[in-house]
Amino acid sequence: MSDRRSVPVPEGLDGLRLDAAISRLFGLSRTAAAGIADAGGVSVDGRPRGKGDRVLAGATLEVDLPSTDRVPTPPPVVVPGLVVLYEDDDVIVVDKPVGVAAHPSPGWEGPTVIGGLAAAGHRVSTSGSEERQGVVHRLDVGTSGVMVVAKSEHAYTVLKDAFRHRTVDKRYRALVQGHPDPMTGTIDAPIDRHPSSSYKYAVVQGGKDSVTHYETVEAFRGATLLDIHLETGRTHQIRVHMAAVNHPCVGDVTYGADPTMSKKLGLGRQWLHAVKLGFHHPADGRWVQFESPYAADLQAALDKVAAAS
Protein backbone atom coordinates (compact mmCIF):
# COMPACT_ATOMS: atom_id res chain seq x y z
CA MET A 1 0.00 0.00 0.00
CA SER A 2 1.10 3.58 -0.58
CA ASP A 3 0.16 7.11 0.36
CA ARG A 4 -0.23 9.41 -2.66
CA ARG A 5 1.09 12.89 -1.86
CA SER A 6 0.88 15.96 -4.07
CA VAL A 7 2.93 19.13 -3.48
CA PRO A 8 4.10 22.12 -5.55
CA VAL A 9 7.84 22.28 -6.23
CA PRO A 10 9.20 25.27 -4.23
CA GLU A 11 11.56 27.78 -5.83
CA GLY A 12 14.46 26.53 -3.76
CA LEU A 13 14.34 23.15 -5.50
CA ASP A 14 14.17 24.49 -9.05
CA GLY A 15 16.45 22.51 -11.35
CA LEU A 16 17.20 19.65 -8.95
CA ARG A 17 17.10 16.00 -9.97
CA LEU A 18 13.76 14.40 -9.18
CA ASP A 19 15.17 11.99 -6.58
CA ALA A 20 16.96 14.84 -4.78
CA ALA A 21 13.79 16.94 -4.73
CA ILE A 22 11.73 14.06 -3.33
CA SER A 23 14.37 13.43 -0.68
CA ARG A 24 14.22 17.02 0.55
CA LEU A 25 10.46 17.46 0.31
CA PHE A 26 9.48 14.28 2.12
CA GLY A 27 12.43 13.64 4.42
CA LEU A 28 13.44 10.42 2.67
CA SER A 29 16.91 9.11 1.90
CA ARG A 30 18.13 9.71 -1.64
CA THR A 31 18.14 5.93 -2.22
CA ALA A 32 14.52 5.56 -1.07
CA ALA A 33 13.44 8.47 -3.26
CA ALA A 34 15.18 6.96 -6.31
CA GLY A 35 13.51 3.62 -5.60
CA ILE A 36 10.05 5.19 -5.66
CA ALA A 37 10.81 6.85 -8.99
CA ASP A 38 12.22 3.62 -10.46
CA ALA A 39 8.99 1.86 -9.46
CA GLY A 40 6.92 4.39 -11.43
CA GLY A 41 5.59 6.10 -8.32
CA VAL A 42 6.33 9.68 -9.37
CA SER A 43 4.67 12.10 -11.76
CA VAL A 44 5.18 15.79 -12.49
CA ASP A 45 2.17 17.75 -13.71
CA GLY A 46 0.41 14.45 -14.33
CA ARG A 47 3.18 12.86 -16.43
CA PRO A 48 5.44 10.00 -15.19
CA ARG A 49 9.04 11.04 -14.63
CA GLY A 50 12.31 9.24 -13.87
CA LYS A 51 14.69 9.83 -10.96
CA GLY A 52 17.19 11.72 -13.11
CA ASP A 53 14.71 14.19 -14.60
CA ARG A 54 14.94 17.80 -13.45
CA VAL A 55 12.08 19.56 -11.64
CA LEU A 56 10.88 23.10 -12.21
CA ALA A 57 9.55 25.47 -9.56
CA GLY A 58 5.76 25.61 -9.52
CA ALA A 59 5.25 22.17 -11.05
CA THR A 60 2.97 19.74 -9.21
CA LEU A 61 4.89 16.76 -7.91
CA GLU A 62 2.93 13.60 -7.06
CA VAL A 63 4.66 10.80 -5.17
CA ASP A 64 3.56 7.39 -3.92
CA LEU A 65 5.03 7.22 -0.40
CA PRO A 66 5.13 3.84 1.35
CA SER A 67 2.28 3.80 3.86
CA THR A 68 4.57 2.22 6.45
CA ASP A 69 6.60 5.44 6.51
CA ARG A 70 3.60 7.50 7.54
CA VAL A 71 3.06 8.41 11.17
CA PRO A 72 -0.60 9.12 11.99
CA THR A 73 -0.95 12.83 12.69
CA PRO A 74 -3.00 13.52 15.83
CA PRO A 75 -5.55 16.35 15.84
CA PRO A 76 -4.13 19.81 16.69
CA VAL A 77 -4.10 20.50 20.42
CA VAL A 78 -3.38 23.84 22.09
CA VAL A 79 -0.03 23.68 23.90
CA PRO A 80 0.13 25.74 27.11
CA GLY A 81 3.41 27.61 27.41
CA LEU A 82 4.24 27.51 23.69
CA VAL A 83 5.16 31.15 23.04
CA VAL A 84 5.58 32.70 19.59
CA LEU A 85 8.64 34.95 19.73
CA TYR A 86 8.50 36.11 16.10
CA GLU A 87 6.47 35.46 12.95
CA ASP A 88 6.43 36.66 9.36
CA ASP A 89 5.47 35.14 5.99
CA ASP A 90 8.47 32.79 5.98
CA VAL A 91 9.31 31.72 9.51
CA ILE A 92 7.82 31.34 12.94
CA VAL A 93 10.12 31.30 15.97
CA VAL A 94 8.83 29.75 19.19
CA ASP A 95 9.89 29.28 22.79
CA LYS A 96 9.29 25.55 23.31
CA PRO A 97 8.37 24.43 26.82
CA VAL A 98 9.59 21.19 28.37
CA GLY A 99 7.45 18.10 27.74
CA VAL A 100 6.63 19.07 24.16
CA ALA A 101 8.00 17.24 21.09
CA ALA A 102 8.84 19.05 17.87
CA HIS A 103 6.50 16.85 15.82
CA PRO A 104 4.48 13.59 16.05
CA SER A 105 6.46 10.35 16.08
CA PRO A 106 5.80 6.66 16.76
CA GLY A 107 5.12 6.06 20.44
CA TRP A 108 4.73 9.76 21.35
CA GLU A 109 1.21 10.73 22.37
CA GLY A 110 2.00 14.04 24.05
CA PRO A 111 1.82 17.62 22.74
CA THR A 112 3.91 18.82 19.79
CA VAL A 113 5.09 22.17 18.47
CA ILE A 114 3.50 21.49 15.09
CA GLY A 115 0.18 20.51 16.68
CA GLY A 116 0.23 23.53 18.96
CA LEU A 117 0.89 25.92 16.09
CA ALA A 118 -1.90 24.38 14.03
CA ALA A 119 -4.35 24.62 16.95
CA ALA A 120 -3.47 28.31 17.34
CA GLY A 121 -4.16 28.95 13.65
CA HIS A 122 -0.59 29.27 12.40
CA ARG A 123 0.26 28.03 8.90
CA VAL A 124 3.51 26.12 8.31
CA SER A 125 5.31 24.81 5.23
CA THR A 126 3.98 21.63 3.60
CA SER A 127 7.54 20.50 2.82
CA GLY A 128 8.90 17.50 4.67
CA SER A 129 7.18 14.24 5.58
CA GLU A 130 3.57 14.72 6.71
CA GLU A 131 4.29 14.55 10.44
CA ARG A 132 7.33 16.83 10.13
CA GLN A 133 6.01 19.53 7.81
CA GLY A 134 7.86 22.78 8.37
CA VAL A 135 10.28 21.27 10.90
CA VAL A 136 13.88 22.14 10.02
CA HIS A 137 15.46 21.21 13.37
CA ARG A 138 14.36 19.73 16.67
CA LEU A 139 14.78 20.04 20.42
CA ASP A 140 14.44 17.03 22.72
CA VAL A 141 11.13 16.65 24.58
CA GLY A 142 13.02 17.37 27.81
CA THR A 143 14.85 20.41 26.44
CA SER A 144 13.23 23.84 26.40
CA GLY A 145 14.07 26.96 24.43
CA VAL A 146 14.08 28.73 21.08
CA MET A 147 13.20 26.87 17.88
CA VAL A 148 12.36 27.96 14.31
CA VAL A 149 9.73 26.43 12.01
CA ALA A 150 9.45 27.18 8.28
CA LYS A 151 6.21 28.71 7.01
CA SER A 152 6.99 29.01 3.29
CA GLU A 153 8.34 26.29 1.01
CA HIS A 154 11.28 28.54 0.11
CA ALA A 155 12.10 29.05 3.78
CA TYR A 156 12.03 25.30 4.40
CA THR A 157 14.59 24.66 1.68
CA VAL A 158 16.87 27.53 2.70
CA LEU A 159 16.79 26.72 6.42
CA LYS A 160 17.35 22.99 5.88
CA ASP A 161 20.41 23.86 3.81
CA ALA A 162 21.59 26.29 6.49
CA PHE A 163 21.42 23.63 9.19
CA ARG A 164 23.06 21.13 6.87
CA HIS A 165 25.92 23.50 6.06
CA ARG A 166 26.27 24.62 9.70
CA THR A 167 25.66 28.32 9.11
CA VAL A 168 23.09 28.53 11.93
CA ASP A 169 24.27 29.74 15.34
CA LYS A 170 22.80 27.46 18.01
CA ARG A 171 23.55 28.40 21.63
CA TYR A 172 22.60 26.46 24.72
CA ARG A 173 23.12 26.75 28.45
CA ALA A 174 23.73 23.56 30.41
CA LEU A 175 24.24 23.05 34.12
CA VAL A 176 26.57 20.07 34.40
CA GLN A 177 27.86 18.04 37.32
CA GLY A 178 31.40 18.76 38.45
CA HIS A 179 33.89 21.13 36.85
CA PRO A 180 35.06 20.45 33.27
CA ASP A 181 38.81 20.62 32.77
CA PRO A 182 39.70 22.60 30.73
CA MET A 183 37.08 25.21 31.59
CA THR A 184 36.71 26.02 27.89
CA GLY A 185 37.07 23.36 25.25
CA THR A 186 35.75 21.28 22.38
CA ILE A 187 34.38 17.76 22.40
CA ASP A 188 34.86 16.10 19.00
CA ALA A 189 33.49 12.56 19.21
CA PRO A 190 31.22 10.61 16.81
CA ILE A 191 27.68 9.81 17.96
CA ASP A 192 25.29 7.04 16.96
CA ARG A 193 22.65 4.77 18.45
CA HIS A 194 23.60 3.22 21.77
CA PRO A 195 24.77 -0.36 21.18
CA SER A 196 22.46 -1.83 23.83
CA SER A 197 19.66 0.71 24.37
CA SER A 198 17.06 1.57 21.74
CA TYR A 199 16.24 5.01 23.19
CA LYS A 200 19.75 6.25 23.95
CA TYR A 201 22.72 7.50 21.93
CA ALA A 202 26.41 7.17 22.63
CA VAL A 203 29.89 8.05 21.46
CA VAL A 204 30.50 5.24 18.98
CA GLN A 205 33.45 4.59 16.72
CA GLY A 206 32.31 5.08 13.14
CA GLY A 207 29.30 7.17 14.21
CA LYS A 208 28.28 10.53 12.77
CA ASP A 209 30.78 13.36 13.25
CA SER A 210 29.69 15.47 16.22
CA VAL A 211 31.35 18.61 17.57
CA THR A 212 30.40 20.52 20.72
CA HIS A 213 32.14 23.70 21.93
CA TYR A 214 31.69 24.77 25.55
CA GLU A 215 32.75 27.64 27.78
CA THR A 216 32.35 28.03 31.53
CA VAL A 217 29.94 30.79 32.52
CA GLU A 218 30.04 30.21 36.28
CA ALA A 219 31.35 27.49 38.57
CA PHE A 220 29.41 26.45 41.67
CA ARG A 221 29.98 23.89 44.39
CA GLY A 222 29.63 20.56 42.56
CA ALA A 223 28.28 22.01 39.30
CA THR A 224 29.17 24.31 36.41
CA LEU A 225 27.01 26.47 34.16
CA LEU A 226 28.23 26.16 30.56
CA ASP A 227 27.59 28.16 27.42
CA ILE A 228 27.47 25.63 24.57
CA HIS A 229 27.80 26.16 20.84
CA LEU A 230 26.86 23.24 18.60
CA GLU A 231 28.80 22.83 15.39
CA THR A 232 26.71 19.79 14.49
CA GLY A 233 23.18 18.85 15.58
CA ARG A 234 22.96 15.17 16.45
CA THR A 235 20.17 13.71 18.56
CA HIS A 236 21.00 14.11 22.28
CA GLN A 237 24.38 15.57 21.28
CA ILE A 238 25.02 17.80 24.29
CA ARG A 239 23.73 15.19 26.72
CA VAL A 240 25.86 12.43 25.18
CA HIS A 241 29.03 14.51 24.91
CA MET A 242 28.85 15.86 28.45
CA ALA A 243 28.19 12.38 29.83
CA ALA A 244 31.13 11.06 27.79
CA VAL A 245 33.52 13.43 29.61
CA ASN A 246 31.96 12.53 32.98
CA HIS A 247 30.04 15.79 33.38
CA PRO A 248 26.41 14.89 32.60
CA CYS A 249 23.75 17.58 32.60
CA VAL A 250 22.29 17.97 36.07
CA GLY A 251 18.98 16.07 36.19
CA ASP A 252 19.80 13.88 33.19
CA VAL A 253 19.52 10.50 34.92
CA THR A 254 19.22 8.79 31.51
CA TYR A 255 22.85 9.69 30.87
CA GLY A 256 24.25 9.13 34.33
CA ALA A 257 23.36 12.21 36.38
CA ASP A 258 23.10 11.81 40.15
CA PRO A 259 19.39 11.20 40.93
CA THR A 260 19.86 12.44 44.49
CA MET A 261 21.04 15.82 43.24
CA SER A 262 18.14 15.97 40.78
CA LYS A 263 15.63 15.30 43.55
CA LYS A 264 17.21 17.87 45.85
CA LEU A 265 16.91 20.52 43.13
CA GLY A 266 13.36 19.52 42.20
CA LEU A 267 14.35 18.72 38.61
CA GLY A 268 12.39 16.20 36.60
CA ARG A 269 14.53 16.61 33.46
CA GLN A 270 17.98 17.61 32.26
CA TRP A 271 19.15 21.16 32.97
CA LEU A 272 19.50 22.16 29.34
CA HIS A 273 18.01 25.16 27.54
CA ALA A 274 18.31 26.53 23.99
CA VAL A 275 18.95 30.18 24.81
CA LYS A 276 19.78 31.64 21.40
CA LEU A 277 19.24 30.90 17.71
CA GLY A 278 20.66 32.98 14.87
CA PHE A 279 20.35 32.49 11.12
CA HIS A 280 20.24 34.31 7.80
CA HIS A 281 16.61 35.10 7.05
CA PRO A 282 15.50 33.01 4.04
CA ALA A 283 13.69 35.95 2.42
CA ASP A 284 16.50 38.52 2.22
CA GLY A 285 19.58 37.02 3.85
CA ARG A 286 19.75 39.44 6.78
CA TRP A 287 21.06 38.01 10.04
CA VAL A 288 18.34 37.54 12.66
CA GLN A 289 18.73 36.31 16.21
CA PHE A 290 16.27 35.24 18.88
CA GLU A 291 16.67 34.48 22.58
CA SER A 292 14.76 32.59 25.24
CA PRO A 293 15.04 33.14 29.02
CA TYR A 294 15.58 30.14 31.29
CA ALA A 295 12.46 28.11 31.95
CA ALA A 296 11.07 28.50 35.48
CA ASP A 297 12.15 25.05 36.71
CA LEU A 298 15.70 25.58 35.44
CA GLN A 299 15.96 29.03 37.02
CA ALA A 300 14.72 27.67 40.35
CA ALA A 301 17.28 24.83 40.29
CA LEU A 302 20.08 27.25 39.35
CA ASP A 303 19.13 29.55 42.21
CA LYS A 304 19.37 26.63 44.65
CA VAL A 305 22.79 25.64 43.35
CA ALA A 306 24.04 29.23 43.59
CA ALA A 307 22.68 29.64 47.11
CA ALA A 308 24.48 26.50 48.28
CA SER A 309 27.84 27.59 46.85
Short mmCIF file of all heavy atoms in Angstrom, two decimals, residues 256-296:
data_model
loop_
_atom_site.label_atom_id
_atom_site.label_comp_id
_atom_site.label_asym_id
_atom_site.label_seq_id
_atom_site.Cartn_x
_atom_site.Cartn_y
_atom_site.Cartn_z
N GLY A 256 23.35 9.29 33.20
CA GLY A 256 24.25 9.13 34.33
C GLY A 256 24.29 10.22 35.38
O GLY A 256 25.16 10.19 36.26
N ALA A 257 23.37 11.17 35.34
CA ALA A 257 23.36 12.21 36.38
C ALA A 257 22.94 11.62 37.72
O ALA A 257 22.22 10.63 37.79
CB ALA A 257 22.40 13.33 35.98
N ASP A 258 23.40 12.25 38.80
CA ASP A 258 23.10 11.81 40.15
C ASP A 258 21.62 12.06 40.47
O ASP A 258 21.19 13.21 40.55
CB ASP A 258 23.99 12.59 41.13
CG ASP A 258 23.74 12.20 42.58
OD1 ASP A 258 22.95 11.27 42.83
OD2 ASP A 258 24.35 12.84 43.46
N PRO A 259 20.82 11.00 40.66
CA PRO A 259 19.39 11.20 40.93
C PRO A 259 19.11 11.91 42.25
O PRO A 259 18.10 12.59 42.40
CB PRO A 259 18.84 9.76 40.93
CG PRO A 259 20.01 8.89 41.22
CD PRO A 259 21.19 9.58 40.60
N THR A 260 20.03 11.76 43.20
CA THR A 260 19.86 12.44 44.49
C THR A 260 19.93 13.95 44.32
O THR A 260 19.14 14.70 44.89
CB THR A 260 20.93 11.98 45.50
OG1 THR A 260 20.85 10.56 45.67
CG2 THR A 260 20.73 12.67 46.85
N MET A 261 20.89 14.39 43.52
CA MET A 261 21.04 15.82 43.24
C MET A 261 19.82 16.35 42.51
O MET A 261 19.32 17.43 42.80
CB MET A 261 22.30 16.06 42.42
CG MET A 261 22.63 17.52 42.17
SD MET A 261 24.17 17.72 41.25
CE MET A 261 24.40 19.50 41.32
N SER A 262 19.32 15.57 41.54
CA SER A 262 18.14 15.97 40.78
C SER A 262 16.95 16.18 41.70
O SER A 262 16.21 17.16 41.58
CB SER A 262 17.81 14.90 39.73
OG SER A 262 18.92 14.63 38.90
N LYS A 263 16.77 15.23 42.63
CA LYS A 263 15.63 15.30 43.55
C LYS A 263 15.77 16.51 44.47
O LYS A 263 14.79 17.21 44.75
CB LYS A 263 15.55 14.01 44.37
CG LYS A 263 14.34 13.93 45.28
CD LYS A 263 14.26 12.59 45.97
CE LYS A 263 13.02 12.50 46.86
NZ LYS A 263 12.94 11.18 47.55
N LYS A 264 16.97 16.76 44.94
CA LYS A 264 17.21 17.87 45.85
C LYS A 264 16.89 19.21 45.19
O LYS A 264 16.40 20.14 45.82
CB LYS A 264 18.67 17.85 46.32
CG LYS A 264 19.00 18.90 47.36
CD LYS A 264 20.48 18.83 47.73
CE LYS A 264 20.82 17.49 48.35
NZ LYS A 264 22.24 17.45 48.81
N LEU A 265 17.16 19.28 43.87
CA LEU A 265 16.91 20.52 43.13
C LEU A 265 15.50 20.60 42.56
O LEU A 265 15.12 21.61 41.96
CB LEU A 265 17.93 20.66 41.99
CG LEU A 265 19.39 20.81 42.42
CD1 LEU A 265 20.30 20.83 41.19
CD2 LEU A 265 19.59 22.06 43.26
N GLY A 266 14.73 19.53 42.72
CA GLY A 266 13.36 19.52 42.20
C GLY A 266 13.29 19.44 40.69
O GLY A 266 12.33 19.92 40.07
N LEU A 267 14.31 18.82 40.07
CA LEU A 267 14.35 18.72 38.61
C LEU A 267 13.83 17.38 38.13
O LEU A 267 14.25 16.33 38.60
CB LEU A 267 15.79 18.89 38.10
CG LEU A 267 16.28 20.29 37.77
CD1 LEU A 267 17.72 20.22 37.28
CD2 LEU A 267 15.41 20.95 36.70
N GLY A 268 12.91 17.43 37.18
CA GLY A 268 12.39 16.20 36.60
C GLY A 268 12.92 15.97 35.19
O GLY A 268 12.40 15.13 34.45
N ARG A 269 13.95 16.73 34.80
CA ARG A 269 14.53 16.61 33.46
C ARG A 269 15.94 17.18 33.47
O ARG A 269 16.40 17.71 34.48
CB ARG A 269 13.67 17.36 32.44
CG ARG A 269 13.33 18.80 32.83
CD ARG A 269 14.00 19.84 31.97
NE ARG A 269 13.40 21.17 32.09
CZ ARG A 269 13.58 22.13 31.21
NH1 ARG A 269 14.33 21.92 30.15
NH2 ARG A 269 13.03 23.33 31.40
N GLN A 270 16.63 17.09 32.35
CA GLN A 270 17.98 17.61 32.26
C GLN A 270 17.99 19.13 32.30
O GLN A 270 17.09 19.77 31.76
CB GLN A 270 18.68 17.13 30.98
CG GLN A 270 18.07 17.62 29.68
CD GLN A 270 17.06 16.65 29.09
OE1 GLN A 270 16.61 15.73 29.76
NE2 GLN A 270 16.71 16.83 27.82
N TRP A 271 19.01 19.70 32.94
CA TRP A 271 19.15 21.16 32.97
C TRP A 271 19.81 21.55 31.67
O TRP A 271 21.05 21.63 31.57
CB TRP A 271 19.99 21.61 34.16
CG TRP A 271 19.72 23.03 34.60
CD1 TRP A 271 19.13 23.42 35.76
CD2 TRP A 271 20.02 24.26 33.88
NE1 TRP A 271 19.03 24.80 35.82
CE2 TRP A 271 19.57 25.34 34.68
CE3 TRP A 271 20.60 24.54 32.65
CZ2 TRP A 271 19.70 26.67 34.28
CZ3 TRP A 271 20.72 25.86 32.24
CH2 TRP A 271 20.28 26.91 33.05
N LEU A 272 19.00 21.83 30.67
CA LEU A 272 19.50 22.16 29.34
C LEU A 272 18.47 23.04 28.64
O LEU A 272 17.29 22.70 28.57
CB LEU A 272 19.72 20.88 28.52
CG LEU A 272 20.28 21.03 27.11
CD1 LEU A 272 21.63 21.71 27.10
CD2 LEU A 272 20.38 19.65 26.44
N HIS A 273 18.93 24.18 28.12
CA HIS A 273 18.01 25.16 27.54
C HIS A 273 18.63 25.80 26.30
O HIS A 273 19.80 26.22 26.32
CB HIS A 273 17.69 26.25 28.58
CG HIS A 273 16.61 27.20 28.18
ND1 HIS A 273 15.27 26.85 28.18
CD2 HIS A 273 16.65 28.48 27.76
CE1 HIS A 273 14.55 27.88 27.78
NE2 HIS A 273 15.37 28.89 27.51
N ALA A 274 17.86 25.86 25.22
CA ALA A 274 18.31 26.53 23.99
C ALA A 274 18.07 28.02 24.16
O ALA A 274 16.94 28.49 24.02
CB ALA A 274 17.54 25.99 22.79
N VAL A 275 19.12 28.77 24.46
CA VAL A 275 18.95 30.18 24.81
C VAL A 275 18.97 31.12 23.62
O VAL A 275 18.42 32.22 23.67
CB VAL A 275 20.05 30.63 25.81
CG1 VAL A 275 19.87 29.95 27.15
CG2 VAL A 275 21.43 30.39 25.25
N LYS A 276 19.62 30.71 22.52
CA LYS A 276 19.78 31.64 21.40
C LYS A 276 19.83 30.89 20.08
O LYS A 276 20.40 29.81 19.97
CB LYS A 276 21.05 32.45 21.58
CG LYS A 276 21.26 33.57 20.60
CD LYS A 276 22.59 34.29 20.85
CE LYS A 276 22.67 34.90 22.22
NZ LYS A 276 23.95 35.64 22.43
N LEU A 277 19.21 31.48 19.05
CA LEU A 277 19.24 30.90 17.71
C LEU A 277 19.39 32.04 16.70
O LEU A 277 18.59 32.96 16.67
CB LEU A 277 17.95 30.12 17.42
CG LEU A 277 17.88 29.39 16.07
CD1 LEU A 277 18.88 28.25 16.05
CD2 LEU A 277 16.46 28.85 15.84
N GLY A 278 20.43 31.96 15.88
CA GLY A 278 20.66 32.98 14.87
C GLY A 278 20.81 32.35 13.49
O GLY A 278 21.41 31.28 13.35
N PHE A 279 20.25 33.01 12.47
CA PHE A 279 20.35 32.49 11.12
C PHE A 279 20.11 33.61 10.11
O PHE A 279 19.60 34.68 10.45
CB PHE A 279 19.32 31.36 10.90
CG PHE A 279 17.90 31.74 11.21
CD1 PHE A 279 17.05 32.30 10.25
CD2 PHE A 279 17.38 31.52 12.50
CE1 PHE A 279 15.74 32.65 10.54
CE2 PHE A 279 16.07 31.86 12.81
CZ PHE A 279 15.25 32.42 11.83
N HIS A 280 20.51 33.36 8.87
CA HIS A 280 20.24 34.31 7.80
C HIS A 280 18.79 34.13 7.36
O HIS A 280 18.37 33.01 7.02
CB HIS A 280 21.18 34.08 6.62
CG HIS A 280 22.61 34.41 6.92
ND1 HIS A 280 23.06 35.71 6.99
CD2 HIS A 280 23.68 33.62 7.19
CE1 HIS A 280 24.35 35.72 7.29
NE2 HIS A 280 24.75 34.46 7.42
N HIS A 281 18.02 35.21 7.39
CA HIS A 281 16.61 35.10 7.05
C HIS A 281 16.46 34.61 5.61
O HIS A 281 17.12 35.13 4.70
CB HIS A 281 15.91 36.46 7.20
CG HIS A 281 14.43 36.35 7.22
ND1 HIS A 281 13.68 36.13 6.08
CD2 HIS A 281 13.54 36.40 8.26
CE1 HIS A 281 12.40 36.07 6.41
NE2 HIS A 281 12.28 36.23 7.72
N PRO A 282 15.62 33.59 5.39
CA PRO A 282 15.50 33.01 4.04
C PRO A 282 14.94 33.96 2.99
O PRO A 282 15.14 33.74 1.79
CB PRO A 282 14.55 31.82 4.26
CG PRO A 282 13.84 32.10 5.54
CD PRO A 282 14.81 32.85 6.38
N ALA A 283 14.28 35.04 3.40
CA ALA A 283 13.69 35.95 2.42
C ALA A 283 14.72 36.93 1.84
O ALA A 283 14.75 37.17 0.64
CB ALA A 283 12.54 36.74 3.05
N ASP A 284 15.59 37.49 2.71
CA ASP A 284 16.50 38.52 2.22
C ASP A 284 17.94 38.35 2.70
O ASP A 284 18.80 39.18 2.40
CB ASP A 284 16.01 39.91 2.63
CG ASP A 284 15.76 40.04 4.13
OD1 ASP A 284 16.31 39.21 4.89
OD2 ASP A 284 15.03 40.95 4.53
N GLY A 285 18.21 37.30 3.44
CA GLY A 285 19.58 37.02 3.85
C GLY A 285 20.09 37.79 5.05
O GLY A 285 21.22 37.57 5.51
N ARG A 286 19.28 38.69 5.62
CA ARG A 286 19.75 39.44 6.78
C ARG A 286 19.88 38.52 7.99
O ARG A 286 19.14 37.54 8.12
CB ARG A 286 18.80 40.59 7.11
CG ARG A 286 17.49 40.19 7.74
CD ARG A 286 16.56 41.38 7.95
NE ARG A 286 15.39 41.05 8.73
CZ ARG A 286 14.32 40.44 8.26
NH1 ARG A 286 14.26 40.07 6.99
NH2 ARG A 286 13.28 40.18 9.05
N TRP A 287 20.84 38.83 8.85
CA TRP A 287 21.06 38.01 10.04
C TRP A 287 20.03 38.35 11.10
O TRP A 287 19.83 39.51 11.45
CB TRP A 287 22.46 38.24 10.60
CG TRP A 287 22.78 37.35 11.77
CD1 TRP A 287 22.83 37.70 13.08
CD2 TRP A 287 23.11 35.95 11.72
NE1 TRP A 287 23.16 36.61 13.87
CE2 TRP A 287 23.33 35.53 13.06
CE3 TRP A 287 23.23 35.03 10.68
CZ2 TRP A 287 23.68 34.22 13.37
CZ3 TRP A 287 23.58 33.72 11.00
CH2 TRP A 287 23.79 33.32 12.33
N VAL A 288 19.34 37.34 11.60
CA VAL A 288 18.34 37.54 12.66
C VAL A 288 18.71 36.63 13.83
O VAL A 288 19.28 35.56 13.64
CB VAL A 288 16.91 37.24 12.17
CG1 VAL A 288 16.45 38.27 11.15
CG2 VAL A 288 16.81 35.84 11.57
N GLN A 289 18.37 37.06 15.01
CA GLN A 289 18.73 36.31 16.21
C GLN A 289 17.63 36.41 17.25
O GLN A 289 17.04 37.47 17.45
CB GLN A 289 20.04 36.87 16.76
CG GLN A 289 20.63 36.09 17.92
CD GLN A 289 22.04 36.55 18.21
OE1 GLN A 289 22.99 36.20 17.51
NE2 GLN A 289 22.19 37.35 19.25
N PHE A 290 17.35 35.29 17.90
CA PHE A 290 16.27 35.24 18.88
C PHE A 290 16.77 34.56 20.15
O PHE A 290 17.60 33.65 20.10
CB PHE A 290 15.07 34.48 18.29
CG PHE A 290 14.60 35.05 16.99
CD1 PHE A 290 15.07 34.53 15.78
CD2 PHE A 290 13.73 36.13 16.94
CE1 PHE A 290 14.67 35.06 14.57
CE2 PHE A 290 13.33 36.68 15.74
CZ PHE A 290 13.80 36.13 14.55
N GLU A 291 16.23 35.01 21.29
CA GLU A 291 16.67 34.48 22.58
C GLU A 291 15.49 34.03 23.43
O GLU A 291 14.36 34.51 23.26
CB GLU A 291 17.48 35.54 23.32
CG GLU A 291 18.74 35.98 22.59
CD GLU A 291 19.56 36.97 23.39
OE1 GLU A 291 19.28 37.14 24.60
OE2 GLU A 291 20.49 37.56 22.81
N SER A 292 15.78 33.11 24.33
CA SER A 292 14.76 32.59 25.24
C SER A 292 15.31 32.60 26.66
O SER A 292 16.42 32.10 26.90
CB SER A 292 14.39 31.15 24.84
OG SER A 292 13.67 30.51 25.88
N PRO A 293 14.58 33.16 27.62
CA PRO A 293 15.04 33.14 29.02
C PRO A 293 14.94 31.73 29.58
O PRO A 293 14.21 30.88 29.05
CB PRO A 293 14.07 34.10 29.71
CG PRO A 293 12.81 33.99 28.90
CD PRO A 293 13.27 33.82 27.48
N TYR A 294 15.65 31.46 30.66
CA TYR A 294 15.58 30.14 31.29
C TYR A 294 14.14 29.82 31.68
O TYR A 294 13.40 30.68 32.17
CB TYR A 294 16.43 30.09 32.56
CG TYR A 294 17.92 30.30 32.36
CD1 TYR A 294 18.68 30.86 33.37
CD2 TYR A 294 18.55 29.93 31.17
CE1 TYR A 294 20.04 31.06 33.22
CE2 TYR A 294 19.91 30.12 31.00
CZ TYR A 294 20.65 30.69 32.02
OH TYR A 294 21.99 30.89 31.86
N ALA A 295 13.77 28.57 31.49
CA ALA A 295 12.46 28.11 31.95
C ALA A 295 12.42 28.18 33.48
O ALA A 295 13.46 28.13 34.15
CB ALA A 295 12.21 26.69 31.47
N ALA A 296 11.23 28.28 34.04
CA ALA A 296 11.07 28.50 35.48
C ALA A 296 11.72 27.40 36.32
O ALA A 296 12.37 27.69 37.34
CB ALA A 296 9.59 28.61 35.83
#
